[in-house]
């Protein structure tokens, strides 16, 4: 009986099959190329998804006005309350953990992050109550019961358990803060251009709500977050009884000092009849100067920031490249002398 010939295994590096790893990397590269082609060819309007929220807000304002004007009816609340949020609110009230100041703070954080439904604040509070318990129990099971890391000492295990509890409590707040900071940065970039367009619309004779609508339409693709805020402000200007409330809602939704300055200017213009175009032109010039100063500040900080990477990564490579051949030549010379002398 002839022996079975085994095919030789492929080349290995540190015990890993090189051909298998190359195949996996080639598959990942092919998938990445397909995703890149899909993202490049399937360009969508960034305002299309946000238009649904704007339509819903318009319907809510219209329903509130119609209910208020109807005889014998009480004005409908504009908050989007559901049975689930009402049930959560009732349960939290029964536990005595719901405070008005806490709800207001979370509602403002939700608005800064781009969430329009203020009733989601009770959901965030519920998540801050449940997540520490869930993650703490999961960490206790993994660290103490299953002993997934048997080499850990008591301090490391307790630190992992405490970190899971803190992550569960601070997780929703950190998520909202990160999303709000990204959204605020996107709005700050497009605000000077939006003010320039508002100046042009004001000089052309458009009203404030028409100017906001026009600016939101023009800047919707370049700055979708800012376009959404301006479109929502235009809708509220058309439906709310006091226009000042629409401006204040804009300042409430955007965590940016420049937007508060614009809102103050618009409120003063509505109240005292001051010229809108000149005021907005001054604000636009100030915001552009501030943006230029921030860019110069980042450029001035660049040498100090690059010092550590330069010392740790770039200079050692330069030393090896420059002094390496000389060191090899000196080593060969000394080794040749030693061999000749022997």
């Amino acid at each position: 009986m002839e022996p079975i010939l085994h095919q030789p295994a492929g080349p290995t590096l540190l015990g890993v099959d090189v051909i298998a790893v190359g195949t996996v990397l080639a598959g990942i590269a092919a998938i990445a190329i397909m995703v890149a082609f899909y993202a490049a060819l399937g360009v969508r309007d960034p305002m299309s998804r946000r238009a649904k929220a704007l339509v819903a807000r318009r319907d809510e304002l219209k329903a509130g006005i119609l209910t208020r004007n109807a005889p014998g009816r009480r004005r409908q609340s504009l908050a989007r309350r559901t049975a689930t949020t009402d049930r959560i609110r009732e349960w939290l009230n029964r536990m005595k953990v719901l405070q008005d100041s806490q709800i207001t703070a979370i509602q403002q954080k939700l608005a800064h992050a781009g969430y329009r439904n203020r009733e989601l604040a009770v959901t965030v509070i519920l998540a801050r109550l449940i997540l520490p318990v869930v993650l703490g129990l999961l960490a206790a099971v993994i660290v103490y019961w299953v002993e997934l890391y048997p080499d850990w000492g008591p301090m490391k295990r307790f630190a992992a358990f405490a970190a899971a509890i803190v992550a569960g409590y601070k997780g929703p707040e950190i998520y909202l803060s990160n999303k709000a900071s990204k959204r605020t940065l996107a709005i700050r970039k497009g605000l000077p251009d939006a003010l320039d367009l508002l100046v042009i619309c004001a000089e052309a004779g458009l009203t404030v709500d028409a100017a906001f609508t026009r600016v939101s339409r023009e800047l919707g693709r370049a700055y979708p977050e800012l376009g959404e805020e301006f479109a929502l402000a235009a809708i509220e200007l058309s439906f709310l009884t006091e226009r000042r409330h629409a401006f204040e809602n804009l300042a409430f939704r955007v965590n940016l000092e420049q937007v508060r300055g614009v809102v103050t200017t618009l409120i003063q213009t509505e109240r005292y009849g001051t010229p809108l175009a000149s005021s907005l032109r001054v604000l636009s010039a100030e915001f552009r100067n501030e943006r230029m100063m921030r860019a110069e500040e980042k450029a001035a900080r660049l040498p100090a920031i690059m010092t550590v990477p330069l010392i740790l990564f770039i200079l050692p490579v330069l030393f090896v490249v420059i002094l390496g051949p000389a060191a090899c030549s000196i080593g060969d010379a000394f080794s040749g002398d030693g061999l000749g002398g022997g």
Side-chain angles (χ1 to χ4, degrees):
M1 185 175 180
E2 295 182 358
I4 300 175
L5 297 177
H6 297 281
Q7 295 181 355
T12 59
L13 180 62
L14 299 177
V16 180
D17 192 353
V18 177
I19 297 178
V21 173
T23 305
V24 173
L25 293 178
I28 294 174
I31 294 173
I33 292 173
M34 293 174 61
V35 171
F37 272 109
Y38 176 77
L41 298 177
V43 179
R44 300 178 181 178
D45 187 3
M47 285 295 295
S48 59
R49 179 176 56 86
R50 293 175 168 84
K52 298 180 180 180
L54 299 177
V55 172
R57 180 61 177 171
R58 183 187 292 112
D59 294 339
E60 288 173 359
L61 291 171
K62 187 183 297 183
I65 292 175
L66 292 176
T67 308
R68 183 196 61 190
N69 294 332
R73 292 186 179 180
R74 192 172 56 183
R75 183 176 181 180
Q76 177 181 337
S77 175
L78 296 180
R80 284 172 279 183
R81 301 179 62 177
T82 60
T84 304
T85 56
D86 289 340
R87 204 176 301 117
I88 293 174
R89 182 183 292 272
E90 182 181 357
W91 184 66
L92 293 175
N93 281 325
R94 201 180 303 122
M95 293 182 63
K96 306 295 183 182
V97 295
L98 205 60
Q99 300 177 1
D100 293 337
S101 59
Q102 186 181 18
I103 292 177
T104 303
I106 295 178
Q107 284 177 351
Q108 190 165 20
K109 290 180 181 179
L110 287 171
H112 293 167
Y115 295 101
R116 306 300 178 198
N117 191 359
R118 295 187 178 185
E119 290 299 311
L120 290 177
V122 295
T123 307
V124 175
I125 296 174
L126 180 64
R128 292 175 63 179
L129 289 177
I130 294 179
L131 283 179
V133 179
V134 174
L135 294 181
L137 289 176
L138 184 61
V141 169
I142 292 175
V143 174
Y144 291 103
W145 186 26
V146 180
E147 293 185 356
L148 189 61
Y149 302 100
D151 298 335
W152 284 7
M155 290 299 297
K156 282 188 176 181
R157 296 186 179 187
F158 179 75
F161 176 72
I165 295 178
V166 173
Y169 182 75
K170 290 291 185 180
E173 185 176 355
I174 293 174
Y175 172 77
L176 290 177
S177 299
N178 291 336
K179 194 165 185 180
S181 62
K182 293 179 181 178
R183 191 167 179 272
T184 302
L185 180 61
I187 292 175
R188 180 187 287 129
K189 288 181 179 179
L191 190 58
D193 299 333
L195 288 183
D196 289 339
L197 290 177
L198 280 178
V199 170
I200 295 172
C201 293
E203 290 178 345
L206 294 180
T207 59
V208 178
D209 48 350
F212 270 71
T213 303
R214 183 67 180 179
V215 171
S216 66
R217 191 183 305 122
E218 294 293 334
L219 293 180
R221 291 182 176 272
Y223 306 103
E225 294 84 2
L226 184 60
E228 180 187 4
E229 291 297 337
F230 273 38
L232 188 56
I235 291 172
E236 291 182 344
L237 284 170
S238 302
F239 284 96
L240 291 180
T241 55
E242 295 188 15
R243 300 166 66 87
R244 179 174 57 86
H245 291 166
F247 297 138
E248 291 176 352
N249 290 338
L250 177 61
F252 179 82
R253 293 191 303 266
V254 181
N255 185 22
L256 199 59
E257 190 65 31
Q258 292 88 340
V259 173
R260 298 190 187 97
V262 174
V263 166
T264 303
T265 302
L266 293 173
I267 292 175
Q268 291 177 356
T269 301
E270 290 285 334
R271 180 178 299 178
Y272 302 112
T274 56
L276 178 61
S278 59
S279 303
L280 291 179
R281 188 180 292 108
V282 172
L283 286 176
S284 177
E286 290 180 359
F287 295 162
R288 288 190 181 279
N289 291 333
E290 184 180 353
R291 186 166 65 178
M292 183 61 66
M293 290 175 61
R294 285 199 303 268
E296 292 176 354
E297 181 183 357
K298 289 183 179 180
R301 288 205 318 253
L302 190 60
I305 294 175
M306 288 296 296
T307 301
V308 176
L310 182 67
I311 295 174
L312 294 180
F313 303 107
I314 299 177
L315 288 181
V317 176
L318 287 177
F319 289 153
V320 170
V321 171
I322 295 173
L323 301 179
C328 293
S329 300
I330 294 173
D332 293 338
F334 277 108
S335 62
D337 292 342
L339 290 175

